Amino acid sequence: MANTPQPLRRTALLASGVAVLGLLTACGSESATSSGSPEPATATRGSAEPTAGPATPGATSPTVGASPSDTAGSASASARTDGRCRTSELRAAVGRVDPGAGQRNFPVVLTNASDRTCTVYGYPGAAFVDASGKQLGPDPERASGSPETVTLTPGRSAWAGLSFSSPQVSGARTAAPAALLVTPPDEKEPLKVTWTAGEVPVGGNASSVSVTALEPGAGP
C-alpha cells in the first residue's frame, strides 16, 4: 500500500475526533426516565422556597397574637362576671328569731354558693307554704328603705329582715308553715327553707308580714 502523505493523515484524524466528540455530547443531553418523560430537575441547594398558592375559598386567616387558649380564657373570665346571682347559684337560710316589742324578726340569708362573683339588688320574694306547697297567708309587704347593690364573692352573704307581729299579742289567725319559699331578686325560681320557728300570722287583723331590702352580711 502506498504511504499516505503526512498532512492528509493529520487532517483525517482530526475530523474523526470531532465526530466522536459530537456523538458523546448528543448522548449526554437526552437522558430520560423509564417512562420516556424528561427526568425531573433537581432543586438547587439554597433556592427560594416555593410561593403559596391561591387561598382556598371560604378560608380565613388566623388572628395574629390570639391563640385558642387566650380566647377560651376570655370567655371563661366573661362568664365569671355575668351580673346578678341566679337562683341556682344561691343557698338560702333563715337565722334565729330576734324578738322585741311584740315583734318577731328573722334574718333571711342568701349565700353565694357558686365559684363566681355575682350581685343581688332589692327585695327577695317570700312565702310561707304548707307541706303540700300551698301558700299560707298573703305575700309579705316591702318595708320602706333604700335598696343597694350587694356584690357577693363566692361564699359571701346578703340578708333581708322578715318581720311580723307576735300572734300571741296581735290575736291574728295563725298556721304552722312547713317551709318558707325565698325567691332572689329578679328571679322566678324560689329556694325552699324548712320552717322551724312555729306559727305565723296568716289572716285577720295585724296579720301582715314585711320584708326589708337585701344588705351585706348574714344578719344583725
Side-chain angles (χ1 to χ4, degrees):
M1 177 185 297
N3 291 331
T4 303
Q6 189 68 24
L8 293 178
R9 180 181 297 176
R10 187 178 297 112
T11 301
L13 290 176
L14 179 60
S16 298
V18 171
V20 172
L21 180 61
L23 179 62
L24 290 175
T25 302
C27 290
S29 64
E30 293 185 10
S31 176
T33 63
S34 59
S35 63
S37 301
E39 185 175 355
T42 302
T44 304
R45 185 181 301 274
S47 61
E49 293 294 329
T51 57
T56 303
T60 56
S61 301
T63 303
V64 176
S67 67
S69 59
D70 293 337
T71 304
S74 298
S76 177
S78 176
R80 293 174 63 86
T81 55
D82 189 31
R84 77 170 188 269
C85 300
R86 312 290 176 169
T87 297
S88 61
E89 298 174 312
L90 298 170
R91 182 176 66 251
V94 177
R96 293 182 178 179
V97 62
D98 178 24
Q103 288 288 112
R104 304 195 74 191
N105 309 298
F106 298 86
V108 177
V109 184
L110 293 176
T111 301
N112 183 0
S114 74
D115 62 354
R116 74 177 183 101
T117 297
C118 56
T119 61
V120 291
Y121 173 84
Y123 297 81
F128 293 110
V129 296
D130 63 16
S132 67
K134 180 181 178 181
Q135 183 170 336
L136 302 172
D139 292 337
E141 300 175 354
R142 292 183 174 184
S144 60
S146 300
E148 61 178 292
T149 298
V150 182
T151 299
L152 300 180
T153 55
R156 304 299 292 180
S157 302
W159 72 282
L162 182 73
S163 302
F164 53 84
S165 296
S166 174
Q168 290 77 12
V169 175
S170 68
R173 182 165 56 87
T174 65
L180 176 69
L181 300 183
V182 181
T183 306
D186 300 314
E187 291 291 294
K188 294 181 179 180
E189 294 298 321
L191 296 164
K192 186 177 182 180
V193 183
T194 301
W195 183 261
T196 60
E199 295 186 338
V200 300
V202 295
N205 295 332
S207 63
S208 64
V209 179
S210 65
V211 63
T212 64
L214 288 163
E215 56 184 286

